[in-house]
Every structure is written in C-alpha cells, then in structure tokens.
Amino acid sequence: MKILLTGGAGYIGSHTAIALVKSGHEVVIADNFSNSHHLVIARLEGLCERQIRNYQIDVANQLDLEEICRKENFEAVIHFAGLKAVSESVNKPLLYYGVNLSTTLSLCAVMLDLGIRNLVFSSSATVYGEPERIPLDEHCRANNANNPYGRTKSFIEQILKDLQATQPLMNIALLRYFNPAGAHASARIGEDPKGPPNNLIPILTRVAAKKLKEVVIYGDDYDTPDGTCVRDFIHVHDLAEGHVAALTKLVTNPGLVTYNLGTGQGRSVSEVVDTFERTTGVELKKRVGPRRPGDVVSAYCDPALAERELNWRARLDIEDICRDAWLWQQQNPHGYQPS
C-alpha cells in the first residue's frame, strides 16, 4: 500500500516509516518540521535503502494537503501530526486545540473528498485521565483527560467515531499509546525533543551525558510498592510494529477499532532509574522532589485485545529501552543538530 504519514518525520512517525517499508509498503511523509528535523529523512533513506518522498507542508492547510493527496493517490493515512507536550499544553491550551484539531479536520475533509478510506490515528493513554481501573482496557472511561493535550486526543477520537458512524466505508483505528521510549537499534533515529525533555527516559540519558544536572523524582509517597508513580513503558520499535498490524487489520476487517498499545507491565519511576543505571553502568545524580500536579498514581494497560485481534504484542523490555536510548544519546550527543 502507498501510505501517507502526517508528521512522519517525528519520533514515532519515523520509526513507523521503517516498519512499514520493511513490511513492503510505500511511505510518503508530510511534515512541517516544526517539531522534527530534516536530517531524519536522509537517515530514513539510509536505513530503508530507498528514497523517501516527503513534503514540507502544514497538514492544516487543506489546499496543500489535497494537492499532495491527488498527486500521490494514497490508499491509507497514519496521522501523527500534532503537538504533544503535556506541560506545554497546560500553558498554551489554545495552541494545542488549534493545531491538533485543525490538522485532523483538514485531513478528514481531504480523505472524504478523495475517497481515501483507511486511517490510523495516533491517540494516547492520556484519554483515560485518572484510571477507572488498573490495568486499563479499551472499555475504560476515555473522556477524562486532565490536560489540554489529552483532551485534544479525546476530542479527535470522538470526531473520528462520529465520522465513521456517518461514513461506514471509512476504516479507522484509534491507537492509544502508553509511554513510548527507546530508539532504533542502529542509533540513527531516536527521540530528540526540542527544549528541555519532559519524558523520563530522555531525562535519564541527558543526566547520564551530563547535559542535565540531576533526575528529579516527583514524589515518593504514592500508594505504590516503592512510593513512586507507575507507568507502562513501550519500546518505540514495538509501537511502530503495532501500526503495521493495525493497518493490516483495517484492510482485512474494516470498520472502527480501538487498541491499547503498551506492555501490560507497570514500571515505577524508581525502578526505571535503577534499571537504567544497571543496564548502562552509569550512576545518575538524583533527588526526590514534590509531587507534580496532574500526575496519576499508576497507569498501565491490558494489551490482550491487541494481541488477540492484531496478533501483536510488545517484545522488547525496559532494559532494551534503556540500552537503545543511551546508545542514541552517546552517538548523537546533540540529537539531530550538528555539534
């Protein structure tokens, strides 16, 4: 299939591009590079051993997007484009609502106009907010996000459900990611946040590289085995493979489907820090700080539905995540930027 990846030069999009190409698909990337890097394309071409066509456009610009889609004649779209920093969304809610909703509405309009029927949406476990129960399954309440970023994902999920209800020929997969981390085993592509990192693993690698002073553990008095928050960390390689499986599902069994993509294993913050130190041999400077507003105590998924219906499950573990993320940091000390 020929597949459009909106935001395909980003962290998850770039890893998914490799997985798709290795599965025999043709990918085309549309990205405005506001939160990604042009060098990603060259590295993807090296890893895939082929040219990766890409267009620098704003997906919210419906005219530009339609022009590309008419030219390329896509059979499916995987929609990654959007803003994704939780803390930034709290400070800039209108920006997040504007960008994330407008890109989706533009994309849906073009897909309907041109008869593109297959869509995989990059959603998030943040739609669950404070968990109704643990582990989280796809039947848990999913309109309880506690930040604007998560609420944009909830709103978009509802938009796509409403669309599919009135356009039954549309095939849509909603993929709720848990905590993506790690990097490609080659260390050629990885997570390179612009500005200070917000996610735990990039913080650990930057402290290990002495680019950040210390790891702050936000609270050690939660009702968990060691007092720190618990999360479900999934290797980005496994996450990418989940997109390939979801796309196959849409083609063979059309309709609207929703899947959690996670490992089903909860890892505490302290446990991840200890695992990183043990795996890399690097001792980190760390301290315990106050609880961070909005953090849920524990969030990890029940991935049984994805395993049953997609024949997919996470195969890499937290040690693989730490090893690959640290290798990425070592070989790319400035990320995608030149030294």
Side-chain angles (χ1 to χ4, degrees):
M1 298 177 71
K2 182 186 280 191
I3 305 161
L4 171 65
L5 306 185
T6 69
Y11 173 48
I12 299 171
S14 58
H15 287 81
T16 302
I18 293 174
L20 289 165
V21 169
K22 290 191 173 181
S23 296
H25 298 289
E26 180 181 357
V27 301
V28 178
I29 289 172
D31 201 304
N32 65 4
F33 294 95
S34 65
N35 200 32
S36 55
H37 304 266
H38 288 87
L39 184 58
V40 171
I41 304 299
R43 293 195 178 186
L44 284 178
E45 290 178 335
L47 290 167
C48 295
E49 299 182 332
R50 68 183 64 187
Q51 182 181 9
I52 303 293
R53 287 197 303 288
N54 68 97
Y55 297 88
Q56 184 169 353
I57 67 161
D58 184 345
V59 175
N61 186 318
Q62 189 172 326
L63 291 177
D64 286 351
L65 181 62
E66 183 170 350
E67 181 180 353
I68 291 168
C69 290
R70 286 188 183 279
K71 176 181 177 182
E72 296 287 353
N73 194 27
F74 296 113
E75 298 166 84
V77 179
I78 303 182
H79 183 35
F80 298 104
L83 301 175
K84 63 176 185 176
V86 169
S87 58
E88 184 183 50
S89 79
V90 173
N91 295 321
K92 300 178 180 179
L94 293 183
L95 174 65
Y96 271 68
Y97 290 126
V99 170
N100 291 2
L101 295 179
S102 64
T103 53
T104 302
L105 292 172
S106 170
L107 175 63
C108 288
V110 170
M111 290 182 69
L112 281 178
D113 187 41
L114 299 184
I116 305 170
R117 299 301 183 189
N118 301 302
L119 173 63
V120 176
F121 173 56
S122 166
S123 191
S124 167
T126 56
V127 300
Y128 293 116
E130 192 67 42
E132 181 180 356
R133 58 180 175 271
I134 294 294
L136 286 153
D137 61 55
E138 290 83 355
H139 296 293
C140 288
R141 181 182 60 246
N143 59 354
N144 198 38
N146 55 8
N147 57 74
Y149 163 73
R151 283 189 278 273
T152 67
K153 294 296 188 180
S154 291
F155 294 159
I156 292 169
E157 283 196 8
Q158 189 59 56
I159 288 169
L160 296 178
K161 289 175 184 178
D162 291 343
L163 171 63
Q164 205 277 336
T166 59
Q167 301 288 333
L169 293 180
M170 288 290 293
N171 306 315
I172 300 174
L174 310 176
L175 302 185
R176 294 172 180 164
Y177 311 162
F178 277 70
N179 293 71
H184 193 268
S186 68
R188 296 295 291 160
I189 58 172
E191 188 170 7
D192 183 22
K194 291 190 176 181
N198 294 301
N199 298 328
L200 178 60
I201 298 296
I203 290 173
L204 299 185
T205 61
R206 293 193 180 191
V207 172
K210 301 190 184 307
K211 291 182 173 294
L212 291 176
K213 179 182 177 182
E214 60 188 0
V215 179
V216 180
I217 297 172
Y218 294 103
D220 64 352
D221 58 350
Y222 288 97
D223 185 17
T224 62
D226 62 21
T228 64
C229 291
V230 172
R231 298 290 183 268
D232 189 337
F233 293 88
I234 178 172
H235 199 293
V236 68
H237 170 80
D238 284 331
L239 185 59
E241 294 292 342
H243 290 76
V244 179
L247 191 63
T248 301
K249 170 75 172 179
L250 289 185
V251 174
T252 58
N253 191 10
L256 187 143
V257 291
T258 303
Y259 298 106
N260 288 332
L261 295 185
T263 66
Q265 294 183 308
R267 304 285 187 179
S268 75
V269 172
S270 287
E271 182 184 359
V272 173
V273 173
D274 292 345
T275 302
F276 184 89
E277 290 181 319
R278 185 179 68 254
T279 302
T280 64
V282 179
E283 185 175 352
L284 302 173
K285 184 177 181 181
K286 47 193 176 291
R287 68 177 174 88
V288 175
R291 291 187 179 193
R292 191 166 50 183
D295 276 350
V296 299
V297 177
S298 181
Y300 58 93
C301 78
D302 177 355
L305 184 64
E307 183 167 2
R308 185 168 63 250
E309 295 193 359
L310 302 183
N311 194 29
W312 171 93
R313 64 181 176 88
R315 300 183 182 278
L316 300 175
D317 57 25
I318 191 64
E319 287 82 6
D320 296 308
I321 287 173
C322 292
R323 181 196 64 242
D324 292 343
W326 179 227
L327 183 62
W328 158 257
Q329 175 67 56
Q330 289 177 297
Q331 296 194 14
N332 303 272
H334 304 285
Y336 291 110
Q337 300 294 343
S339 58

